[in-house]
Amino acid sequence: MKKFIFWLIFLIIIAGVVFYFGWIRVPENNLALGFSTITGYDTAFMESGKLNWRWQKLVPKCYRLKMYQLETENAEVSVSQALPSGDLYASEMAGNPDFSFAVKYAVTYKIKEDSLYTLATSGTIGDGGLESFYASVKEKIQNAAASLLGEEMAKAMDGGTFSQKALEGSVKTQIGGQLPDVEIISFETVEARFPDVELYKAAKAKYMENMEKKQEIAAQQEKETTDFNTKIDQRIELLKKYGELLTQYPILIEYFKTKNESLLPEGLNIDDIIK
């Protein structure tokens, strides 16, 4: 009987030791993923509040554990752009209006659990955890918001309707589509400043009109300069011909003088030729 009790206590102790060294404690709001050099990655995450035990943990240097917090991430995304040639067109208007827009969004998001498992087991999320992943997500949101805002403003300038609320919903929807591994929990506009699109169109039309007038004036001036240079060239050629003629026949000089130069072309006198 004593021997039986001894072995029972011994087995209980052994079982307790085995349980202790194979037991995995997962902190609250965390998911744990184990990797064994024998069996590879666990088939699912281990959650807090549940009994998590892995026999692979009993083998020395065989089992590694990674913890991932599932807390939501908050980020502010700011987008600031100017409408095409806005400063140039604004110079044509009184008061030099501002044709730029600036928007600040507050975004709350988190990685989807299914995506987290795929990214973790594929090596996309390394030992650095989710910090670098969330940084890349914020950058993607920033780039997507800038691109989408530019597209929406271009549509408004082409005659489309513009609504700040509709723009916010469109940006949120499209960003969600571009980030399939992320759940967008909230997406709100914190600050927004948009230009007067109709005023921008008027400024552009006025600028183009003034440019057209300047081009017409420049073309007219160029034509007048060309005509003037042509007349100068023609007069020089005429002077050369009469100069050569009078050089060859000097007696004509006295002849022209006696005839009061009436035989010379209009605007040409004998002194211009014999200088």
Side-chain angles (χ1 to χ4, degrees):
M1 186 65 180
K2 291 182 179 180
K3 187 180 292 188
F4 172 77
I5 294 174
F6 170 78
W7 282 108
L8 179 61
I9 295 173
F10 177 76
L11 290 175
I12 291 173
I13 293 173
I14 293 296
V17 171
V18 169
F19 174 79
Y20 177 80
F21 284 103
W23 177 39
I24 297 173
R25 293 171 294 278
V26 180
E28 190 176 356
N29 296 325
N30 279 257
L31 294 177
L33 181 65
F35 175 80
S36 169
T37 55
I38 301 173
T39 58
Y41 282 104
D42 290 345
T43 56
F45 285 110
M46 290 173 279
E47 302 177 9
S48 61
K50 294 184 178 180
L51 179 61
N52 301 297
W53 188 87
R54 295 292 185 273
W55 64 264
Q56 297 94 328
K57 196 169 180 285
L58 301 175
V59 182
K61 299 181 180 180
C62 169
Y63 196 73
R64 290 186 291 111
L65 197 64
K66 293 182 180 180
M67 293 287 184
Y68 299 100
Q69 284 190 337
L70 279 186
E71 295 180 351
T72 57
E73 186 77 5
N74 298 313
E76 281 194 350
V77 175
S78 298
V79 178
S80 179
Q81 295 180 14
L83 296 181
S85 303
D87 291 341
L88 196 60
Y89 300 153
S91 63
E92 299 291 332
M93 305 296 286
N96 197 28
D98 184 6
F99 291 133
S100 64
F101 60 92
V103 186
K104 180 184 289 186
Y105 293 118
V107 189
T108 302
Y109 56 94
K110 69 176 182 178
I111 188 171
K112 295 178 181 177
E113 188 172 328
D114 292 343
S115 297
L116 175 59
Y117 182 84
T118 302
L119 295 173
T121 54
S122 64
T124 304
I125 299 177
D127 294 334
L130 292 174
E131 185 175 346
S132 59
F133 173 79
Y134 281 142
S136 68
V137 168
K138 182 180 178 180
E139 183 179 356
K140 290 178 180 178
I141 293 176
Q142 176 80 42
N143 295 336
S147 176
L148 294 170
L149 280 170
E151 291 176 6
E152 292 299 323
M153 291 304 298
K155 291 178 184 178
M157 288 185 290
D158 288 340
T161 58
F162 178 79
S163 166
Q164 181 176 326
K165 192 67 179 177
L167 174 62
E168 179 183 307
S170 176
V171 172
K172 178 182 178 181
T173 300
Q174 294 195 46
I175 286 177
Q178 294 180 22
L179 297 170
D181 297 324
V182 174
E183 178 186 353
I184 304 295
I185 298 172
S186 67
F187 190 95
E188 298 177 352
T189 303
V190 179
E191 298 176 8
R193 174 176 55 80
F194 292 100
D196 187 329
V197 175
E198 294 304 319
L199 184 62
Y200 172 81
K201 292 178 181 178
K204 180 180 180 180
K206 185 176 181 180
Y207 175 83
M208 300 305 293
E209 181 182 353
N210 290 341
M211 284 296 297
E212 186 176 350
K213 290 180 179 178
K214 289 178 181 178
Q215 289 174 353
E216 291 176 355
I217 293 172
Q220 181 63 30
Q221 290 177 341
E222 184 178 359
K223 182 178 181 302
E224 292 175 355
T225 301
T226 301
D227 292 344
F228 177 77
N229 290 336
T230 300
K231 290 179 180 179
I232 293 295
D233 291 340
Q234 291 174 346
R235 184 174 179 80
I236 291 173
E237 286 299 319
L238 185 61
L239 289 173
K240 283 182 180 180
K241 290 179 180 179
Y242 275 94
E244 292 172 358
L245 181 62
L246 295 177
T247 301
Q248 189 174 359
Y249 304 104
I251 192 171
L252 292 175
I253 297 175
E254 295 301 325
Y255 177 77
F256 282 129
K257 286 183 177 181
T258 59
K259 296 296 183 178
N260 196 26
E261 305 176 8
S262 59
L263 297 177
L264 293 175
E266 184 178 355
L268 190 66
N269 59 65
I270 192 66
D271 293 330
D272 291 334
I273 300 172
I274 62 178
K275 281 181 180 179

